[in-house]
Amino acid sequence: MKKFMNYLRVAVVALTISMAMSGCSSSDDPAPAPTYNVSLVNESDAALDVDPAALSEQIIKIQTDAPLTDLSIQKVTEQSWCIATVKSTSEIAVTAGANTSTADRVAKFKLLAGSSVLEFSVTQAGANPQNVTLSIESEQLQEYSGMYSYMGQNDKAVVKVKVTTNASRWHATATAMMGNDADFVITKARGKSGEEMEFYLQPSMSEMLAGTITITAGDQSVDITVNQMTMNGATMFKLFSDENKTKAFANKTTLNFAATFDKDDTTEHIKTFYVTTDGGYVTLVCKAGTDTEVEGDAAWLTAGGNLDALRISATSNTTGAERKLDVVIVDSDNWSELFRIPVVQAAK
């Protein structure tokens, strides 16, 4: 009987310890880290390439639904020259010391958002030699006595220019003298020796484009003078109310605006149409039924477009009376009328 009681006591103690350990284990296990959405705003930031000079701060834009407390940076490669920190739920800040070596160096990081991971890297170019050399070549450029030029044809042709240099990197910038900087689109603006700089020009509907693309490596630079004449005036112009261009908006169809607008709803006071045309055009705002352009306080309507879209916007009508104007599309050569949109805005 005593043996049985001893066995019973041992069994009870063992069961109690087991239950205690089980309870302790389940309560002490950390909760799994939450999973969040996290991504880069610009995919190119996944592999940053920076100059050899010290980098005071470069911002990487991110998108995430994680709170700031669940965001952190982890080094993948052990190094001390590059630091990445979470600045906010939308920004990572990257700094780097100067690279005095002629070799490139790479720092790799992980952005942790709970259990979600986003990897990115920073490559810093090696230091440039003392005497930098730079040359370019392209069958698409005209070259005369070391000066380069390009004449665009309004066809968005991509121009490729091979760059040769003993510098660690070259980079290209555009400056417009006529037109806008945005008309000069550099699609490959940075690279190593032997790689190609790439650019194209936006088609020019109503003004000549002129400017310079400058390729720089170290203290050396080469300029490419760029020109593009305006395209011929349009002989055909069509509008559509949808981006797929399946819903035609007919010539002389009236466009109606409300008297006032919800300040948070731009679709109420800005109407967007999609364009099909074979040339350049100019947008005018005229008195209803005439070719007379309006100015000053009478110009409550604005309109403008490009080869892709036409946008018309109105201000709120506080006059107490209905008002009318016409948006008139004319060709860019002879200013002959191609299309007319009567616009009516209701009274308040």
Side-chain angles (χ1 to χ4, degrees):
M1 184 68 177
K2 286 184 178 179
K3 285 185 178 181
F4 175 75
M5 292 301 293
N6 287 337
Y7 288 144
L8 184 60
R9 290 192 187 98
V10 171
V12 170
V13 171
L15 179 61
T16 302
I17 293 173
S18 175
M19 291 177 64
M21 291 179 65
S22 175
C24 180
S25 174
S26 63
S27 62
D28 288 350
D29 284 345
T35 299
Y36 297 107
N37 296 312
V38 59
S39 62
L40 296 171
V41 173
N42 300 309
E43 291 185 8
S44 59
D45 286 343
L48 281 182
D49 190 84
V50 300
D51 289 332
L55 182 67
S56 58
E57 183 178 79
Q58 181 153 338
I59 297 298
I60 297 176
K61 294 286 188 179
I62 61 172
Q63 292 177 321
T64 183
D65 54 0
L68 186 60
T69 52
D70 281 355
L71 294 174
S72 62
I73 298 289
Q74 184 182 92
K75 288 183 181 179
V76 176
T77 52
E78 190 55 42
Q79 49 75 34
S80 59
W81 59 269
C82 184
I83 298 173
T85 56
V86 177
K87 196 169 185 178
S88 69
T89 56
S90 61
E91 292 183 338
I92 297 170
V94 175
T95 60
N99 187 2
T100 57
S101 168
T102 57
D104 291 1
R105 56 186 181 180
V106 181
K108 295 182 179 181
F109 299 92
K110 288 181 180 179
L111 170 63
L112 305 180
S115 62
S116 304
V117 178
L118 178 66
E119 296 187 1
F120 64 96
S121 65
V122 179
T123 299
Q124 187 175 38
N128 292 325
Q130 287 188 344
N131 299 310
V132 172
T133 59
L134 173 65
S135 63
I136 64 172
E137 58 180 297
S138 172
E139 294 181 352
Q140 295 166 279
L141 301 182
Q142 291 77 48
E143 187 267 335
Y144 180 75
S145 298
M147 295 184 291
Y148 297 88
S149 63
Y150 173 74
M151 176 61 75
Q153 301 298 322
N154 282 297
D155 56 2
K156 294 181 73 171
V158 175
V159 182
K160 297 184 178 183
V161 181
K162 183 180 179 180
V163 182
T164 302
T165 180
N166 61 352
S168 57
R169 297 291 189 278
W170 55 262
H171 56 88
T173 56
T175 304
M177 291 180 286
M178 296 181 68
N180 300 305
D181 286 351
D183 294 325
F184 299 75
V185 183
I186 302 178
T187 54
K188 169 73 171 176
R190 179 183 176 88
K192 299 179 181 180
S193 181
E195 296 180 348
E196 293 178 323
M197 185 272 290
E198 298 179 3
F199 74 94
Y200 68 87
L201 304 179
Q202 296 285 8
S204 178
M205 292 199 311
S206 58
E207 62 181 353
M208 177 181 175
L209 299 184
T212 303
I213 291 179
T214 302
I215 300 174
T216 303
D219 58 358
Q220 300 295 304
S221 64
V222 176
D223 289 337
I224 303 171
T225 301
V226 179
N227 292 283
Q228 180 172 267
M229 301 301 292
T230 58
M231 61 176 56
N232 293 331
T235 61
M236 175 273 293
F237 186 89
K238 295 180 180 180
L239 284 183
F240 300 85
S241 57
D242 65 311
E243 195 168 1
N244 293 327
K245 299 183 179 180
T246 60
K247 300 175 182 178
F249 186 86
N251 187 20
K252 298 182 180 179
T253 299
T254 299
L255 177 64
N256 294 289
F257 280 97
T260 58
F261 312 108
D262 180 345
K263 66 179 181 179
D264 296 324
D265 186 357
T266 58
T267 61
E268 288 189 3
H269 66 91
I270 301 176
K271 306 295 185 182
T272 300
F273 297 93
Y274 299 92
V275 174
T276 295
T277 186
D278 62 352
Y281 68 90
V282 178
T283 306
L284 309 175
V285 177
C286 300
K287 293 180 180 179
T290 75
D291 297 328
T292 305
E293 291 187 71
V294 295
E295 298 177 352
D297 293 340
W300 52 269
L301 195 68
T302 58
N306 53 32
L307 295 175
D308 299 316
L310 173 74
R311 290 178 176 83
I312 302 172
S313 64
T315 60
S316 294
N317 185 2
T318 58
T319 64
E322 180 183 83
R323 55 187 182 181
K324 300 179 180 180
L325 288 174
D326 287 356
V327 174
V328 182
I329 308 299
V330 298
D331 77 87
S332 57
D333 287 342
N334 303 309
W335 284 44
S336 299
E337 183 174 321
L338 298 168
F339 205 95
R340 182 179 289 261
I341 306 171
V343 180
V344 177
Q345 187 173 33
K348 184 174 180 180

